[in-house]
Amino acid sequence: MKARRNKKQVPSFRKLLKTSKVKLENKLKNKQFKQQSTLKKYRKEQRKLRQAVKDAVSKKPIPLEDPKEKRPGKRIEREEEEEEEALPLDMMDEDDLQLMKDLGQRASFLTRDLSSSEPVHARKRKHEHVIDKYEKIPRTLQTAPEKELIHLLPIKDKSGIIPQTREKPVIDSNQDEEDQEEMEPEEEIIEEPIKELTLEEHLIERKKKLQEKKMRIAALASAILSDPESNIKKLKELRSMLMEQDPDVAVTVRKLVIVSLMELFKDITPSYKIRPLTEAEKSTKIRKETQKLREFEEGLVSQYKFYLENLEQIVKDWKQRKLKKSNVVSLKAYKGLAEVAVKSLCELLVALPHFNFHNNIIVLIVPLMNDMSKLVSEMCCEAVKKLFKQDKLGQASLGVIKVISGFVKGRNYEVRPEMLKTFLCLRIKEVEVKKDTEDINKQKKFMTFKEKRKTLSRMQRKWKKAEEKLERELREAEASESTEKKLKLHTETLNIVFVTYFRILKKAQRSPLLPAVLEGLAKFAHLINVEFFDDLLVVLHSLIESGDLSYQESLHCVQTAFHVLSGQGDVLNIDPMKFYTHLYKTLFKLHAGATNEGVEIVLQCLDVMLTKRRKQVSQQRALAFIKRLCTLALHVLPNSSIGILATNRILMHTFPKTDLLLDNESQGSGVFLPELDEPEYCNAQNTALWELHALRRHYHPIVQRFAAHLIAGAPSEGSEALKPELSRRSPAELFEAYSMAAMTFNPPVESSNSKRKDKVLQGDSFLSEEISQLIKRHCSEVATQSPLDFTKYLETSVRSH
């Protein structure tokens, strides 16, 4: 029987297995919850008992014996101390605790009026009077100090003047003690007073702390870089330093951790997107190496996600101007932290377009492109431009374009023009698409049927045919997949871009976004569907005629119109004479000072309008433009003059009969009308390019060279021909090359040969030999001094008077 009982008492292994970890945890939680609830009850009952004791003591009168020894204040304090000592409920036995519990629920002996001498359960007597009851109360002496009275203004009544007084409020000692009890735990925490440091000591201490943190960051980062798969958990440790709480080094450490993590993720992130595992993949058995790789990938994705969330929170705190409760980071420091966070997001946007959460980064970056802070806005715009330039396939570009288009529409087109100028960096060119297709579809030379019949047997021909068919199918499949995907993405991207552009043209024609829209249309005009050309040209012409545009915006309109007509628009029968007239009229409105940005657009327009459309341009029009451009070259900066003269050189080569402008004799009837804004009817053939002679004496040597070259008839050979570095460059390239935006003179001014100082100071070198000899002779004669007699001169002057 005993052996049986022992077996039952000892739990078997199977029984232990049945008790799962979850059950044990639940039991532990229930036990903790019960302990907490009982503890709360004990505290509540303790509070009730103490309150009851205090009430009873405050109501209890002091007996007549020994009034001096037992004063009320001391008595109350002593009783409270005794009560506090007598009620450590946590240290009591269960029986005593239960007794106290019962007394707390029916504490009649504590809560009743102890000033009465009656027993608790005594019946009330009918004939008892109030005076008798009062007499039974024992007398007390005036031991307590008199209360101070505050005299108030008296009140006048029928009976007379009634003086008014009020007791001075006395601070309750019990309340003070309770406050002290509440403050006790806080006082216990601060054991030692904080030592006050001087400014120099504080800076030394801060430098020491910062050096320790830097070493810690460097150690963690190097460990992760050395073996990312094994040390992926240290990413969490490094990321936890983003919550640095030491106010001396918090901001600097957080910045360092943000940048360190950004560089780490750029280095250890794989070149593919990590997808979550399916249930089937989780359940299958795998090798240790595969399991290690999976753990690394899961840890990397989770830490990357948390890192991005931290950066987003930093930016949000800065935007909302929130101050955390800890006051570790001041409001001023939030801006610096946010700028570092935005910089890191921009780096990740460009460096990891293939990795997880790229779309989340785009959603964060795009609104910041329109931020009030110029630095943040420029950083985000530059990052987006860089992404567009390096994105070959177009997947990342499409994601950014979608978000930007939605943002612009949501803000009712009230955004920075820089947002739309980023569209100009898109790699969507028909030439590139065709080139890629040709590179992929390299034509392979197949054998003809006659060649096969001559060289191969029947079985070999059969094998050859099957092999060629297979190769053709494989090549077509590969090419179609890449090019079709690329074309599809580019088409979708362009559709969104054009929808944004056309909405602004239609709804926000006076918006500051219009120049960026027109510039974008000019770049992508060759990709616009031919069906929209007529409507687009009508809109552009109406914009020019409205007069609301600046000269630069109207030049963009002209440029866009001719880009449209130079591409697929060649098949359309449209006369663009009104655009020629507008450009001819606008030339004299260009800014001739430092902001000569309009000249570059003019040079591009002239190339599209005159050079590329030479067959549609009359000689009269070409003469008028050459004459007006030479006049314009007198007024603008040197780089603009060089670009304009280079354009005139190309026009003189394109239209050879324009050399009559170099002759003084008039051609045909009429007089040249320089003020007329119609290039066809201004009689430009009856004038000469006298401006070139003025430009020949220009202070800039390259302008002089071009002017002399044009006066000679723009020859391609001979002494007046241009050097290859000038003749082979386009006008726009020359305009950029000789720009004075950096406040430098190009080419540099030659320094004059400085002469020796002694030679410059000698005056003899300026005199001829005869004069110098005469001077020497007179100087030698003066050596013998004769006495001077002024009296004889005085006598002669007196006689004359």
Side-chain angles (χ1 to χ4, degrees), residues 613-631:
R613 291 174 62 88
R614 59 175 69 89
K615 292 180 181 178
Q616 288 90 355
V617 177
S618 65
Q619 186 181 344
Q620 285 293 110
R621 200 179 301 173
L623 288 168
F625 271 100
I626 290 172
K627 174 62 181 173
R628 184 156 282 199
L629 285 171
C630 277
T631 310

Side-chain angles (χ1 to χ4, degrees), residues 752-761 765-766:
S752 60
N753 295 326
S754 60
K755 297 179 181 179
R756 285 172 61 184
K757 201 169 186 181
D758 53 351
K759 287 185 178 178
V760 173
L761 294 175
S765 59
F766 297 101

Side-chain angles (χ1 to χ4, degrees), residues 464-689:
K464 192 73 177 175
K465 186 179 180 182
E467 189 182 343
E468 286 177 356
K469 186 181 178 183
L470 181 61
E471 283 180 6
R472 195 185 295 112
E473 286 176 356
L474 286 171
R475 191 176 63 254
E476 285 176 0
E478 185 185 352
S480 61
E481 184 184 355
S482 57
T483 52
E484 281 178 13
K485 188 177 180 182
K486 190 172 183 179
L487 282 170
K488 187 178 178 183
L489 289 170
H490 284 182
T491 307
E492 192 175 350
T493 305
L494 261 182
N495 285 340
I496 297 170
V497 169
F498 283 139
V499 163
T500 308
Y501 283 165
F502 293 152
R503 277 177 182 162
I504 294 169
L505 278 178
K506 186 179 178 183
K507 297 183 179 179
Q509 291 184 354
R510 295 187 180 182
S511 169
L513 302 176
L514 197 60
V517 170
L518 295 169
E519 200 173 346
L521 284 172
K523 180 170 183 180
F524 302 117
H526 61 285
L527 301 170
I528 300 174
N529 196 340
V530 184
E531 296 173 1
F532 300 118
F533 281 5
D534 285 335
D535 295 335
L536 187 57
L537 288 172
V538 168
V539 170
L540 292 173
H541 182 63
S542 64
L543 280 172
I544 291 170
E545 292 295 320
S546 65
D548 296 331
L549 304 182
S550 65
Y551 78 90
Q552 206 164 344
E553 291 171 356
S554 63
L555 287 174
H556 279 303
C557 283
V558 173
Q559 188 183 10
T560 306
F562 279 96
H563 271 290
V564 168
L565 292 172
S566 62
Q568 302 172 46
D570 286 338
V571 297
L572 300 175
N573 188 16
I574 298 173
D575 181 23
M577 186 57 202
K578 48 197 173 186
F579 292 107
Y580 282 102
T581 304
H582 180 73
L583 180 64
Y584 186 77
K585 184 169 48 177
T586 313
L587 285 176
F588 284 161
K589 294 180 182 178
L590 294 178
H591 199 297
T595 58
N596 57 351
E597 298 169 358
V599 176
E600 188 176 6
I601 308 167
V602 165
L603 297 176
Q604 293 170 1
C605 290
L606 291 168
D607 182 49
V608 179
M609 296 168 69
L610 299 174
T611 310
K612 291 182 179 176
R613 291 174 62 88
R614 59 175 69 89
K615 292 180 181 178
Q616 288 90 355
V617 177
S618 65
Q619 186 181 344
Q620 285 293 110
R621 200 179 301 173
L623 288 168
F625 271 100
I626 290 172
K627 174 62 181 173
R628 184 156 282 199
L629 285 171
C630 277
T631 310
L632 180 65
L634 291 170
H635 307 288
V636 291
L637 292 177
N639 62 324
S640 301
S641 296
I642 294 166
I644 289 167
L645 293 176
T647 303
N648 275 351
R649 175 179 175 272
I650 293 169
L651 291 176
M652 289 174 79
H653 286 166
T654 308
F655 304 96
K657 292 182 180 180
T658 54
D659 60 353
L660 59 90
L661 290 173
L662 301 172
D663 193 359
N664 288 334
E665 296 179 4
S666 60
Q667 301 285 331
S669 60
V671 181
F672 174 58
L673 303 171
E675 72 281 356
L676 193 67
D677 290 334
E678 292 292 338
E680 295 284 347
Y681 310 112
C682 66
N683 299 321
Q685 75 277 3
N686 293 325
T687 184
L689 298 178

